[in-house]
Amino acid sequence: MLLSSLSILMGAILVPSHYLWLYSTHIILVCLYLIWSKRLIVLFLTLLSFISVLFNEFSAVTMLTVSAGDEVSIDFEKKSVLIEQASSFDEAAFSRNQRVQIMYFSEDGSRFVQEDFTLIFYDSNGASVASRDNAQKPNAILHQGVVTGVVLADKTGPWWQRNLYIQRQLAQLNLRFEHYDPQRFHQADVSLRDQILFKLDHHLERFDYWRFTKALLLGKDDLWSQRDTWIVRTLGLAHLFVVSGLHTGFMFIIGRMLSRMVWQIMPRNILLSGVTRWHCDAVIVIPLLFAYAYVTSWGEPVVRASIMLSVYLCARMLALKVSPYSIITFALWLVLLFDPRAVLSPGLWLSFSMVYLLIGFCQTSTKLLRLLMVQVMLSTASMVLILGWQEVISSVSILVNILLIPLAGVVWFPWGLLSCAEVLLLGSSYSYALLDIGLGYLMLGIEWVAFSLPVLSFDTFSSNLPRWIMLSLLIAWVYQSPLKRGFIAATSIWAILFFSTFFNGFEANVTIVNNHHSLALMDQETPVLVDTWAGSDLSKLRFDSYLNRAQDGYFLSPKPAAELTPHALLHHDVKWVVLHQEGLSKTEIILDALGVNWLVVPAGESLAFYFHDGSVSLRHSLCIYDFFLLKSDTCKRVEKLESVLNYKQI
C-alpha cells in the first residue's frame, strides 16, 4: 500500500534532474490509478508525499552569492554570517533560508565545524538587503574573517558534497580569522543538553573507562585515543559505541519495565475504564524514547528507531492487526516524509535492513540456542551489508558480539544510566565507581582478544558477482525458514566473504611509509623517494610520475615542514602534500589558506596505492576499518584524495 508513496519520496531525490518529466509522469499515472480503483487512503498518502516533496525539495535554494576572498562577519551567538553586497545585488534570487556550514582553525591547529549558519546580506549603508527594510546591522559581537574556500552541496558529488546536501547545508565556507579568541567564539547560550553533558564529564571523566561508557550511552567518542578506536573497529563493535537503534532498543526495554511497574500500582478504577497495558506503554515509553533522542543530539539512527517503535506501540494500542513488516514500512515512509534526503544516507538503509532481517530471523521460540543463532545471523548479515566499508576484522568478532551485546544491554547500559541519574540528581558517583572497576577487567579481556587473536583481512571485491551471490544467499536465508538452514547459509557467506583473504591477496603498487618521522615512497620493497634526499629543492619531492600522473602537483613534505613556504607552494603549483606529523598548525594554516590539500601519515603508519583497471584505491593504516559512522578526519582526507585520483582518470 505504501510502495507508491515511497516511490514518490525516493524518486524526488534519486531521479536525475533531466528525468524529472518521467518522475512527474509517474506521479500522474499513480494518482489516476488510485482514483480509478477508489483507494482513497492510499491516494491521500500519495498526495501527502507529493506535498512533502514540493515543500522540502523543489522550493529549496540552489544559488550561493558567496565566493572565496569575500570578507564576512560571524555572529556565533545568533549563528549568522553577515556579508556586505553591492547595490546591484539581485534581491529576487535571494532567499532567507540560505543555511551554510562554516569551518575554521584555531591558533593551535584545532579544526572546528559548525552547521546551520544563516547568510545575512547588507548594503553599504548597513541596511538589510534580504528583508527589504531599513533595519541596521545588529549590535552584536562580530568576528571578522575571510572566506578562503567554498564547497557547494551536490547530491551526485563526492561524499563531502553529498553530506552537505543531506544535512541541508547550501555550502561549507572555509574561513580564516585574523584574531582567534576561543572564549568569545563560543559564548552562545548553553542548552540543557550541554549542561547535562558538562556535569557528567565534570564528575566522571576522572574514571579510566568513562570514555567507553560515554560512547555507549551518548555516542560521544571525543575522549577516545587512536588505540581505542582501532580496538573497537577491529572487533566489529563500532555499532555498540555509536548511538543507534540498538541503544534505542535498550531504552525501549527499560521503558517497558518501568511501564510494567506503573501498571502494577495503578488504581482499579483506571484499569476498569478500558485502559490496557499498551496504553500504559505508549504513555511512558514514547516520551522516554524521544527524551533519549534529545540527549543524544537527535542522531538519525535514534530518531528512526524511536519512530519505528512508537508506530509499533500505537498500532498495538489501537489494536490494529497489521504485520510487523507493514509497521516498519510505514515508519520508513514517515521518516522519508519529514526528510526525503535521508534516502541518500547509508545509515537509513542499514538500520531498516537490520530491522527487517531481525523480524525475518526471529521465531516464536526463545530458547538460548535459537537466540544465539539469531545473533550469528545478524552479525553475518551486517558483514554483507557493510561490505566495502570494512577491510580488516577480528576472526572472533561474531563471538565477541554474542557475548558483549547481551552484557551491554543487561548490565552496562542500565547501570550506566542509573549512575548518570545519580550524578545529575545527587552529585555523587559511587555506583559508577563500582561499574568502572568491572569495566577494567572487561577492557583487559577485549584488548587481549584484539591484539592476540588472528585478524582476517579482505579487500573490496573487484567484481560485483560475489556481492550478488551473498545477497541472494541472505534473501534465501530469510525467506525459507532461516534457522533450519542457517549453518549452511552462514558457512557459504563466510567462505565467499573471506575468499580474497586466503586466495586473492595482492600487494600495493606504491606505498608512502613514515619511519621515525621520515617519509619514504616505496615501490614494493625499494625506496624510490625519501624526504631527506631533496635538500632545499622542493621539486625533488614530487611523486606524480609514480602515480601515472602528468605534473599534477603531488608532493611529499620536506623533512623540515617549515620549508613549505607560500612562495614555494605557489612556485611549484602544489595541489596535495603528504605531511609526516600531526599538529603542524602553522603549516596547515598556510596550506588551507592557499587551497592546498594535505593529509598526514604519522610515524609508524603508511599510505598504500593500488592500481587496478585504470582506477586507484588507497589504504591508510589508520583507516584499516573504514566504518562510515566513525570516520576520522584523516580517513576523510584519504577518501578525498582517492576521489580526486579516480576523477582525473576519467
Side-chain angles (χ1 to χ4, degrees):
M1 183 180 77
L2 291 172
L3 292 180
S4 59
S5 301
L6 283 173
S7 64
I8 290 175
L9 291 171
M10 295 167 61
I13 308 300
L14 299 179
V15 172
S17 56
H18 52 280
Y19 283 115
L20 285 179
W21 63 270
L22 183 62
Y23 172 70
S24 59
T25 304
H26 162 75
I27 296 176
I28 295 173
L29 292 177
V30 168
C31 292
L32 290 176
Y33 170 75
L34 294 176
I35 294 174
W36 175 77
S37 60
K38 298 180 180 180
R39 302 174 66 181
L40 299 182
I41 296 179
V42 183
L43 178 63
F44 171 74
L45 296 178
T46 302
L47 292 176
L48 193 62
S49 302
F50 181 62
I51 294 173
S52 173
V53 168
L54 291 177
F55 180 77
N56 285 287
E57 300 306 319
F58 295 133
S59 61
V61 180
T62 58
M63 189 190 76
L64 183 70
T65 57
V66 182
S67 58
D70 289 349
E71 295 184 355
V72 298
S73 301
I74 307 297
D75 184 348
F76 283 93
E77 183 176 355
K78 296 183 178 180
K79 301 194 73 172
S80 58
V81 180
L82 288 76
I83 306 174
E84 182 177 333
Q85 292 290 333
S87 57
S88 59
F89 180 71
D90 186 5
E91 298 182 38
F94 180 81
S95 171
R96 300 185 187 183
N97 297 322
Q98 287 190 337
R99 295 191 303 166
V100 296
Q101 174 179 288
I102 66 171
M103 188 274 291
Y104 56 93
F105 289 87
S106 64
E107 293 181 352
D108 62 357
S110 300
R111 181 173 179 267
F112 293 92
V113 177
Q114 297 189 44
E115 300 176 352
D116 294 327
F117 276 71
T118 304
L119 293 180
I120 300 178
F121 295 92
Y122 289 87
D123 59 22
S124 57
N125 297 321
S128 173
V129 175
S131 59
R132 302 180 183 180
D133 56 26
N134 295 322
Q136 298 295 313
K137 186 182 299 185
N139 295 321
I141 300 177
L142 303 179
H143 305 274
Q144 306 301 319
V146 177
V147 179
T148 59
V150 178
V151 179
L152 296 175
D154 185 359
K155 68 177 180 180
T156 61
W159 66 264
W160 55 91
Q161 291 181 295
R162 189 164 60 250
N163 191 49
L164 291 172
Y165 176 81
I166 295 173
Q167 296 176 352
R168 298 187 177 277
Q169 306 295 305
L170 188 60
Q172 174 181 288
L173 304 182
N174 301 330
L175 303 178
R176 183 181 74 252
F177 293 100
E178 296 298 332
H179 302 287
Y180 178 83
D181 185 354
Q183 298 297 327
R184 297 175 64 196
F185 268 44
H186 305 286
Q187 59 180 345
D189 294 335
V190 180
S191 64
L192 176 62
R193 180 195 303 114
D194 296 330
Q195 295 177 21
I196 293 174
L197 296 179
F198 176 79
K199 188 171 184 179
L200 291 176
D201 281 335
H202 178 71
H203 285 83
L204 300 177
E205 65 182 358
R206 59 189 175 89
F207 293 100
D208 292 336
Y209 299 101
W210 164 242
R211 63 188 190 276
F212 290 107
T213 304
K214 184 179 181 181
L216 175 71
L217 298 179
L218 307 172
K220 305 292 185 181
D221 61 347
D222 51 305
L223 302 177
W224 281 14
S225 64
Q226 287 285 353
R227 185 173 185 270
D228 297 333
T229 304
W230 187 90
I231 292 173
V232 168
R233 295 179 181 182
T234 302
L235 292 177
L237 298 174
H239 63 93
L240 195 61
F241 295 99
V242 178
V243 171
S244 62
L246 177 66
H247 303 74
T248 312
F250 293 159
M251 290 299 300
F252 178 80
I253 295 173
I254 293 173
R256 290 289 300 274
M257 294 175 64
L258 293 175
S259 174
R260 179 171 296 184
M261 295 172 57
V262 173
W263 177 260
Q264 295 294 332
I265 62 175
M266 285 181 67
R268 291 186 177 181
N269 58 344
I270 296 180
L271 298 178
L272 295 175
S273 65
V275 176
T276 66
R277 282 188 56 184
W278 291 111
H279 289 82
C280 186
D281 287 345
V283 171
I284 294 176
V285 176
I286 294 178
L288 186 64
L289 292 178
F290 284 96
Y292 181 65
Y294 168 77
V295 175
T296 56
S297 303
W298 300 106
E300 290 185 4
V302 180
V303 173
R304 288 193 293 264
S306 299
I307 291 176
M308 283 190 284
L309 293 172
S310 299
V311 171
Y312 168 75
L313 287 177
C314 292
R316 294 299 186 186
M317 182 180 64
L318 298 174
L320 299 177
K321 295 182 178 180
V322 292
S323 67
Y325 289 108
S326 299
I327 293 176
I328 302 306
T329 304
F330 179 78
L332 174 61
W333 173 78
L334 203 60
V335 170
L336 294 179
L337 182 68
F338 289 101
D339 186 14
R341 296 187 182 186
V343 72
L344 297 177
S345 174
L348 173 78
W349 299 109
L350 186 60
S351 298
F352 279 94
S353 299
M354 294 306 295
V355 172
Y356 279 114
L357 289 172
L358 181 60
I359 295 173
F361 287 155
C362 284
Q363 306 291 323
T364 56
S365 174
T366 57
K367 294 181 179 179
L368 180 60
L369 181 61
R370 190 166 294 243
L371 292 176
L372 290 177
M373 190 60 188
V374 169
Q375 180 61 52
V376 172
M377 289 176 174
L378 291 175
S379 299
T380 303
S382 65
M383 283 187 175
V384 177
L385 293 175
I386 66 174
L387 179 62
W389 300 332
Q390 159 180 339
E391 184 184 355
V392 172
I393 194 168
S394 174
S395 57
V396 293
S397 62
I398 293 179
L399 178 61
V400 172
N401 275 270
I402 290 175
L403 297 176
L404 199 58
I405 289 178
L407 178 64
V410 176
V411 180
W412 192 354
F413 191 86
W415 195 337
L417 286 180
L418 289 175
S419 300
C420 292
E422 179 190 354
V423 170
L424 296 174
L425 298 177
L426 304 178
S428 60
S429 56
Y430 298 111
S431 61
Y432 187 80
L434 294 175
L435 176 62
D436 200 69
I437 294 173
L439 290 179
Y441 293 103
L442 176 64
M443 290 304 165
L444 285 176
I446 288 177
E447 291 180 3
W448 180 84
V449 170
F451 290 107
S452 302
L453 297 183
V455 174
L456 297 173
S457 61
F458 51 93
D459 293 295
T460 304
F461 293 103
S462 58
S463 170
N464 289 325
L465 181 60
R467 302 185 189 187
W468 285 111
I469 293 176
M470 285 188 290
L471 286 174
S472 301
L473 286 171
L474 198 59
I475 293 172
W477 195 0
V478 177
Y479 183 72
Q480 295 185 347
S481 301
L483 293 177
K484 296 180 180 178
R485 301 174 178 83
F487 181 76
I488 298 175
T491 304
S492 302
I493 290 176
W494 293 339
I496 299 173
L497 196 61
F498 302 120
F499 178 81
S500 60
T501 299
F502 302 107
F503 302 102
N504 196 32
F506 57 93
E507 296 182 353
N509 298 89
V510 178
T511 307
I512 298 176
V513 298
N514 188 330
N515 291 321
H516 305 291
H517 298 287
S518 180
L519 294 174
L521 184 70
M522 310 291 291
D523 186 355
Q524 302 298 332
E525 299 296 329
T526 305
V528 295
L529 187 62
V530 180
D531 57 6
T532 56
W533 294 356
S536 59
D537 187 0
L538 189 62
S539 63
K540 294 182 179 179
L541 296 179
R542 183 189 292 267
F543 61 93
D544 311 77
S545 59
Y546 299 100
L547 303 181
N548 300 323
R549 337 273 328 136
Q551 302 295 311
D552 274 351
Y554 298 89
F555 286 78
L556 294 180
S557 170
K559 184 65 174 180
E563 293 184 5
L564 291 173
T565 61
H567 174 75
L569 293 170
L570 294 173
H571 177 72
H572 295 285
D573 193 22
V574 178
K575 298 295 190 301
W576 277 87
V577 175
V578 179
L579 302 176
H580 59 79
Q581 183 181 350
E582 295 180 346
L584 300 173
S585 57
K586 293 184 178 179
T587 301
E588 293 170 1
I589 291 173
I590 292 174
L591 294 174
D592 289 324
L594 295 177
V596 178
N597 296 284
W598 54 271
L599 61 88
V600 181
V601 179
E605 306 297 340
S606 63
L607 175 65
F609 297 80
Y610 299 84
F611 306 141
H612 180 74
D613 293 337
S615 63
V616 183
S617 297
L618 272 62
R619 297 290 184 271
H620 197 295
S621 55
L622 288 179
C623 306
I624 203 67
Y625 187 122
D626 199 6
F627 193 67
F628 73 98
L629 291 177
L630 278 175
K631 191 170 292 181
S632 65
D633 184 66
T634 298
C635 300
K636 294 178 180 179
R637 293 181 184 276
V638 171
E639 275 194 4
K640 183 177 181 179
L641 175 57
E642 182 178 275
S643 176
V644 170
L645 290 172
N646 286 301
Y647 177 78
K648 296 284 188 179
Q649 295 279 2
I650 299 176

